[in-house]
Amino acid sequence: MNPNQVLGENNPFEAMHARFDLAAKKLGLDEGFYHILRTPDRELTVAIPVYMDDGSLQVFTGYRVQHSLARGPAKGGIRYDPNVTLDEVRALAAWMTWKCAVVNVPFGGGKGGVVCDPRKLSMAEMERITRRYIAGIMDIIGPDRDVPAPDMGTDGRVMAWIMDTYAMHVRHASTAIVTGKPIELGGSQGRIEATGRGLQIVTREALQVLKRDPRTCSAAVQGAGNVGQITAHFLAQMGIKVIAISDITGAIVDEKGLDMPAVRAHLAKARTLEGYAAGERITNAQLLELPVDILVPAATENVITSRNAANVKAKLLVEGANGPVTAAADKILDEKGVFVIPDILANAGGVTVSYFEWVQDRMGYFWSEEEVNQRLETMMVKAFNDVVDMARRFECGNRIGAYMLGVDRVAKATKMRGIYA
Ligand code: GLU
């Protein structure tokens, strides 16, 4: 349980709307378009009946929300989590819309979720859930309609089942239906590391703005999944002293700096931080309040709220997760002068390389890892500068600057397309 949750603050869709409203106002967005961009284009809820390994029949619930298709096919991951709600998927879909616009990839925003606990499912059960879920949302996905990807609780293996299920239905191969696939099935070099690499790039850029040398900085990373673990690794590679990392079992801290290769080797074997010999154990909540220069919440939503924002000591907050900070906490962090790199910019490296994967699949021609990383570097630096410029120009924090950049691009596309009647 998250001890910092505050009732009335933890609905991610409302949190998204609160920031969107501020950005829309600053942009002077007219009322009709304000309502269009506030409202998801399409939402689908499906029942997923599945035979479990013990012979019982269970019905899971799945969602796919397409928030906007104005700039291209919907794009966004699929989350498997026991606490997934429709409002959460709505928020995540809208964040994908703004995120794709911030990095300027030609996609709209979508997101999927299945209410299930992947930690309690066998591989065969996961496969059956995935295939039946995809069959249920089949009519609204496709390489030109809506392109799923991994998110919390899903990975390349799940993406392979998605691709296969889709191919079985359309009766032909279709690699561009999903991104985050294994390389052998048309995945892109560098996709697994892309979110962490993007986080590293924006952290480096922010430290330049703040005139700080990475080698004199310390960091704490919440989350040891694909995003947290790889970000911690890349930050350590930059010479930043990563003193803490966590997973759902809690955090480990070592003021001298964690031995990241050893932590990663332990995680690869044990799949949890539990049992890691070095360092001290603290809670996830304590990790967020450590006296570090850089804090990277890379686990889940609503971990920094009005309850603990004032206790954040870091001067640079880099959002690896989607929605880790509530709208009420924004104000507190702003007043403290924390330099925030908001989720829709910070973690956009993932969807950027997803875009490269989709492009490569459609060409049937694949790039080297160097080429992928070089293109990612260019796009992340450009997006970072665009956001910081926007924030300076409109005298607001980076979060609202990022929303303004994204919302403005989507509003322009929506207006140019006109209203079909
Ligand atoms: N789930 C990731 C995100 O939230 C990646 C989405 C994608 O690659 O489409 O950005």
Side-chain angles (χ1 to χ4, degrees), residues 75-77 96 99 111 147-151 179 191 322 347 350-351 354:
K75 185 84 194 77
M96 287 309 302
K99 193 187 298 186
K111 202 81 172 197
V147 184
D151 197 76
T179 61
R191 175 62 186 84
N322 293 309
N347 69 34
V351 77
S354 275

Side-chain angles (χ1 to χ4, degrees), residues 71-373:
R71 288 168 39 89
K75 185 84 194 77
I78 294 173
R79 174 169 294 199
Y80 286 2
D81 187 89
N83 302 315
V84 169
T85 64
L86 183 54
D87 262 357
E88 182 187 17
V89 180
R90 283 180 176 135
L92 290 161
W95 281 326
M96 287 309 302
T97 302
W98 316 136
K99 193 187 298 186
C100 290
V102 164
V103 281
N104 216 356
V105 295
F107 288 132
K111 202 81 172 197
V114 176
V115 188
C116 67
D117 190 346
R119 284 179 300 267
K120 294 195 180 131
L121 297 168
S122 71
M123 179 115 108
E125 288 167 341
M126 280 263 269
E127 178 171 356
R128 289 195 289 275
I129 290 174
T130 302
R131 290 186 183 277
R132 186 61 195 248
Y133 167 62
I134 293 303
I137 63 167
M138 190 65 202
D139 290 339
I140 65 165
I141 60 169
D144 290 307
R145 293 180 172 183
D146 182 351
V147 184
D151 197 76
M152 267 166 63
T154 60
D155 57 12
R157 191 180 49 188
V158 175
M159 300 307 115
W161 295 326
I162 292 177
M163 185 184 93
D164 184 67
T165 306
Y166 185 82
M168 289 292 127
H169 279 261
V170 297
R171 321 287 310 158
H172 59 78
S174 175
T175 48
I177 170 59
V178 65
T179 61
K181 299 179 295 293
I183 306 271
E184 295 83 346
L185 296 177
S188 177
Q189 299 289 343
R191 175 62 186 84
I192 290 179
E193 300 82 11
T195 311
R197 195 177 287 280
L199 283 153
Q200 179 197 31
I201 294 167
V202 292
T203 304
R204 187 196 65 208
E205 295 300 302
L207 290 176
Q208 260 168 38
V209 172
L210 298 171
K211 300 195 171 38
R212 288 290 312 265
D213 179 347
R215 286 162 305 181
T216 65
C217 292
S218 59
V221 178
Q222 184 185 44
N226 178 258
V227 181
Q229 188 187 149
I230 294 177
T231 304
H233 161 74
F234 281 133
L235 295 186
Q237 268 198 345
M238 275 168 80
I240 293 169
K241 189 164 76 170
V242 179
I243 68 160
I245 190 165
S246 68
D247 65 10
I248 49 163
T249 68
I252 47 169
V253 58
D254 184 346
E255 265 148 47
K256 296 193 296 297
L258 293 167
D259 178 354
M260 273 319 293
V263 172
R264 296 192 75 199
H266 177 83
L267 280 168
K269 247 202 297 163
R271 310 224 140 264
T272 161
L273 287 170
E274 221 153 39
Y276 183 70
E280 266 175 68
R281 297 289 296 188
I282 56 169
T283 65
N284 262 289
Q286 287 170 319
L287 176 143
L288 298 169
E289 299 181 13
L290 285 172
V292 285
D293 301 296
I294 306 163
L295 180 63
V296 185
T300 188
E301 289 114 58
N302 299 336
V303 295
I304 298 173
T305 66
S306 60
R307 189 165 290 161
N308 62 344
N311 303 336
V312 168
K313 319 263 181 328
K315 281 280 163 262
L316 174 57
L317 184 72
V318 191
E319 298 184 350
N322 293 309
V325 175
T326 67
D330 278 353
K331 220 170 144 252
I332 302 169
L333 296 174
D334 272 352
E335 276 161 13
K336 280 167 67 87
V338 178
F339 191 93
V340 175
I341 313 182
D343 46 8
I344 56 174
L345 166 65
N347 69 34
V351 77
T352 302
V353 176
S354 275
Y355 165 57
F356 299 159
E357 181 173 333
W358 180 81
V359 167
Q360 293 171 82
D361 287 339
R362 288 165 74 102
M363 286 192 298
Y365 180 76
F366 290 85
W367 304 337
S368 68
E369 192 176 347
E370 293 71 50
E371 185 157 5
V372 168
N373 291 345

